[in-house]
Amino acid sequence: MYLEKINSPEDVKKLNIEEMKVLAEEIREAVIKRDAIHGGHFGPNLGIVEATIALHYVFDSPKDKFVFDVSHQTYPHKMLTGRREAFTDEAHYDDVTGYSNQHESEHDHFILGHTSTSISLALGLAKARDVKGEKGNVIAIIGDGSLSGGEALEGLDFAGELKTNFIVIANDNDMSIAENHGGLYKNLKLLRETEGKAECNLFKAMGLEYIFVKDGNNLEELIEAFKKIKDIDHPITVHIHTQKGKGYKLAEENKEPWHYVMPFNIEDGKPLNLDDSEDYTDVTKEYLMKKMKEDKTVVTITAGTPGNFSFSRKEREELGEQFVDVGIAEQTAVALASGMASKGSKPVFTVVSSFIQRTYDQLSQDLCINNNPATIVVSYGGAIGMTDVTHLGWFDIAMMSNIPNLVYLAPTTKEEHLAMLEWSIAQQEHPVAIRLPGGKMVSTGEKVSKDFSKLNTYEVKQKGEKVAIIGLGTFYQLGEKTAKLYEEKTGVKATVINPMYITGVDEKLLEELKKDHSVVITLEDGILNGGFGEKIARFYGNSDVKVLNYGLKKEFLDRYNIGKVLTENRLKADLIVEDLLKL
């Protein structure tokens, strides 16, 4: 065993080639076992093993600085930089994050979880090194999938002007999360086929020197290439061709589903503890599949993440030109949708809450100023979603609900969601976004007859007095529970309201509440600052009605306990009633 003796990169440098090959297999075994038990990014980490060993063998981290794009490929790096136990001992699996994190180790330099950022961040490190008169190599490691992101291309463009040490390792495994899309991948394919000799060369065109490593899983080839470029005095790209999922047959043969895994059986690859209950993303996919078959002008757009809405490769091929994957390029997805909508097509952009943050300017400038009727479906928003600090879905309400012209809707049930989708795709008046509720899908079977074109008209679901509870989206059912508990404790029936519209207030209804209500409660699954509740509080600001806003504190949390976060923010029926009784 060599891995158990690796406590720092210095220990890697003591090994010979044959010993490093054994180390590579031990790292793979650790990744496979750990992910089978714990879950995590799988294929990318298996493919980068030899390159990571070679990097630490040749370069001198942390003096030489490695910046890993999106962090999907950091597990081997973490094992070689003092965090081995978190991947080899089940009791310590949660000791470190699945992402680059400078608070864990001096060998990491940023918290990274979004794609296409490594080159630009590394350029910042290089610039700081140069202005301070320091030495050392700066190496940005980026996968081919990440190269489609605008920031990555901006970074390459600027890197070409440097007259100093700067190294880009382009890890090309011919895959993003799903298959790659875009013209630059034709060039990468050409470079692979010509072993880097093609005259047409993306990286050279950007002003970088270029070398190609045919087998990016061959330690000898990698070490030789890295030795040649160490301490180079100008920018260079090392284009390495690796195999995603290397070392686990199922992941080698079917790369897309093995990008990220939940716990599975190592022998046959079958998932453990599989929850096959239908959820909002499944329902969205099924609706869109049917809609696109009925109407050829309906087109679904994704930005490199078709699996987040369960679109399989077979289904994507079946839909043909009606399913568009722009690659990891959310900005282009929004602008594309706006352009399509402006000429009568009916685009639906499916996107994760944390990723929609990357396209604020396009939402505002390209889409909403032009008031084009595109549809955006936002998933994994709120506290009941992804828990890694880089993937928090708490900020979309505050970000999107304050952009003029956008209608942001918050369904509370399957039936409401489908009715909103149907209306949004048919209407031609507004850009519309729909925020999927967090947690288990709620289905009431009730027919939704609401006319959504009558903007900002809330639904009173229970008429009461004194206390009105406005439960937005995910937390509407919490509003119902709170009202029931309050009535049990006081005998007073509270009014319960489903607002549905995140982007506006129902002034007529709110004004009517003044007649027989003294307290209004708002519940939302997002940060309070700039959120939905503040709009209600502002309306009642010059009245005697007291408003209690419940939502999430503005903060970054990492791998949090959902129940604990809800309790700390008093998003529990008993805690809300406790607050009411104190008034």
Side-chain angles (χ1 to χ4, degrees):
M1 288 287 288
Y2 293 101
L3 181 56
E4 65 184 16
K5 299 174 184 176
I6 302 294
N7 297 306
S8 76
E10 290 303 313
D11 295 321
V12 177
K13 297 178 186 300
K14 299 173 185 176
L15 304 179
N16 60 38
I17 287 290
E18 294 308 313
E19 291 169 334
M20 282 188 275
K21 290 179 180 177
V22 176
L23 173 63
E25 294 311 307
E26 292 175 0
I27 290 174
R28 281 199 173 86
E29 290 173 9
V31 170
I32 293 168
K33 180 182 177 183
R34 184 256 188 196
D35 280 7
I37 295 170
H38 183 273
H41 287 99
F42 193 72
N45 283 298
L46 293 179
I48 196 71
V49 173
E50 285 83 6
T52 306
I53 293 171
L55 283 167
H56 281 295
Y57 181 78
V58 173
F59 293 98
D60 303 306
S61 180
K63 179 185 176 184
D64 295 329
K65 294 172 173 56
F66 304 158
V67 183
F68 286 85
D69 201 87
V70 84
S71 295
H72 290 173
Q73 306 168 80
T74 57
Y75 294 3
H77 166 73
K78 290 193 174 195
M79 288 189 223
L80 301 179
T81 54
R83 292 165 279 181
R84 159 182 43 83
E85 197 173 45
F87 296 87
T88 58
D89 186 341
E90 186 176 350
H92 293 278
Y93 281 169
D94 286 316
D95 286 2
V96 303
T97 74
Y99 299 89
S100 168
N101 190 313
Q102 72 271 32
H103 304 301
E104 289 178 2
S105 170
E106 63 180 348
H107 298 281
D108 294 0
H109 305 282
F110 303 99
I111 294 173
L112 295 175
H114 279 199
T115 183
S116 311
T117 67
S118 66
I119 297 173
S120 298
L121 287 167
L123 284 167
L125 297 183
K127 194 66 177 177
R129 173 200 62 199
D130 294 345
V131 298
K132 293 171 68 178
E134 296 175 348
K135 300 294 183 182
N137 295 269
V138 173
I139 305 105
I141 300 100
I142 186 166
D144 52 322
S146 295
L147 284 172
S148 66
E151 187 180 349
L153 296 173
E154 291 170 8
L156 281 175
D157 183 54
F158 178 68
E161 291 196 354
L162 292 183
K163 297 178 176 61
T164 186
N165 171 278
F166 189 73
I167 299 166
V168 176
I169 308 295
N171 177 28
D172 180 4
N173 55 36
D174 194 22
M175 281 289 290
S176 182
I177 296 173
E179 69 278 4
N180 284 317
H181 289 275
L184 72 87
Y185 296 105
K186 295 177 183 177
N187 188 233
L188 291 183
K189 183 175 184 290
L190 175 64
L191 290 171
R192 291 195 302 270
E193 291 174 345
T194 61
E195 297 184 14
K197 297 181 177 67
E199 185 176 346
C200 180
N201 185 309
L202 165 70
F203 304 101
K204 287 183 177 180
M206 291 287 198
L208 286 78
E209 189 184 344
Y210 171 90
I211 62 173
F212 180 74
V213 177
K214 181 178 180 180
D215 185 354
N217 295 109
N218 181 296
L219 275 165
E220 288 95 338
E221 288 187 36
L222 290 164
I223 289 171
E224 180 183 359
F226 293 163
K227 283 183 175 178
K228 286 179 181 178
I229 63 167
K230 185 179 182 182
D231 301 324
I232 197 168
D233 63 358
H234 56 273
I236 187 169
T237 295
V238 184
H239 179 190
I240 66 175
H241 182 206
T242 62
Q243 182 178 18
K244 190 171 185 176
K246 183 174 175 60
Y248 190 73
K249 187 176 180 181
L250 291 171
E252 293 176 356
E253 295 174 345
N254 197 4
K255 295 178 175 63
E256 183 176 338
W258 289 94
H259 175 82
Y260 181 92
V261 296
M262 297 302 287
F264 66 95
N265 184 301
I266 293 177
E267 299 303 318
D268 58 17
K270 292 182 178 178
L272 303 175
N273 309 315
L274 180 64
D275 180 6
D276 57 0
S277 59
E278 195 175 41
D279 64 17
Y280 286 104
T281 57
D282 294 326
V283 166
T284 304
K285 188 273 296 281
E286 290 164 9
Y287 170 85
L288 290 174
M289 290 285 292
K290 181 175 182 292
K291 194 72 174 177
M292 285 186 282
K293 289 174 182 176
E294 295 171 351
D295 185 347
K296 295 302 181 184
T297 67
V298 177
V299 177
T300 297
I301 302 170
T302 184
T305 55
N308 283 332
F309 279 79
S310 306
F311 282 97
S312 68
R313 180 186 283 266
K314 181 180 178 182
E315 289 166 334
R316 301 193 301 263
E317 291 173 349
E318 179 185 339
L319 292 168
E321 292 184 352
Q322 284 181 271
F323 190 92
V324 176
D325 187 342
V326 297
I328 298 174
E330 291 85 356
Q331 293 168 304
T332 290
V334 170
L336 174 71
S338 180
M340 292 170 64
S342 74
K343 299 304 178 187
S345 182
K346 300 169 184 175
V348 181
F349 176 33
T350 58
V351 63
V352 173
S353 169
S354 181
F355 301 158
I356 195 72
Q357 296 167 187
R358 293 158 57 84
T359 185
Y360 179 85
D361 198 50
Q362 284 65 42
L363 287 169
S364 177
Q365 297 290 313
D366 295 337
L367 180 63
C368 291
I369 280 180
N370 291 287
N371 204 30
N372 291 326
T375 299
I376 301 172
V377 183
V378 180
S379 65
Y380 298 105
I384 309 172
M386 301 185 191
T387 63
D388 291 292
V389 69
T390 53
H391 286 67
L392 300 179
W394 304 355
F395 307 108
D396 58 271
I397 290 177
M399 181 188 86
M400 295 172 66
S401 69
N402 296 307
I403 300 175
N405 291 338
L406 181 68
V407 178
Y408 201 7
L409 298 172
T412 70
T413 66
K414 168 186 174 181
E415 290 76 17
E416 288 179 6
H417 169 48
L418 291 177
M420 290 173 180
L421 257 180
E422 182 74 20
W423 169 75
S424 176
I425 291 172
Q427 62 85 37
Q428 292 292 303
E429 302 299 320
H430 318 279
V432 176
I434 302 170
R435 190 183 203 251
L436 298 185
K440 293 283 186 181
M441 187 173 71
V442 176
S443 179
T444 62
E446 297 178 7
K447 184 179 179 180
V448 178
S449 57
K450 182 177 179 62
D451 181 358
F452 291 101
S453 65
K454 296 177 180 178
L455 300 183
N456 306 325
T457 52
Y458 300 172
E459 295 277 299
V460 177
K461 308 301 280 189
Q462 173 177 294
K463 184 69 176 73
E465 59 179 349
K466 295 186 179 180
V467 175
I469 302 171
I470 306 176
L472 182 72
T474 304
F475 288 148
Y476 171 73
Q477 283 80 23
L478 173 61
E480 290 184 318
K481 290 178 183 177
T482 302
K484 182 179 179 181
L485 182 59
Y486 183 69
E487 186 173 358
E488 289 173 359
K489 289 186 174 292
T490 66
V492 176
K493 177 179 284 190
T495 295
V496 180
I497 298 169
N498 177 4
M500 296 190 182
Y501 298 86
I502 304 173
T503 36
V505 297
D506 187 338
E507 295 186 0
K508 181 179 178 181
L509 174 59
L510 296 184
E511 190 65 37
E512 288 177 358
L513 292 179
K514 290 180 180 180
K515 298 175 183 177
D516 48 10
H517 293 77
S518 57
V519 179
V520 172
I521 290 171
T522 67
L523 309 173
E524 63 189 296
D525 195 10
I527 60 168
L528 289 169
N529 302 58
F532 171 77
E534 284 192 352
K535 294 176 175 62
I536 307 299
R538 187 167 62 249
F539 178 87
Y540 286 116
N542 62 352
S543 74
D544 293 330
V545 176
K546 192 171 187 65
V547 180
L548 301 182
N549 296 140
Y550 291 87
L552 300 170
K553 180 182 178 183
K554 183 181 72 173
E555 60 183 338
F556 289 120
L557 295 178
D558 190 23
R559 297 173 296 161
Y560 58 86
N561 177 281
I562 293 172
K564 183 179 178 182
V565 167
L566 296 180
T567 299
E568 289 175 347
N569 288 282
R570 302 190 72 76
L571 284 160
K572 299 282 188 179
D574 58 330
L575 299 178
I576 297 169
V577 171
E578 181 182 295
D579 293 343
L580 271 172
L581 296 177
K582 288 178 181 177
L583 289 177

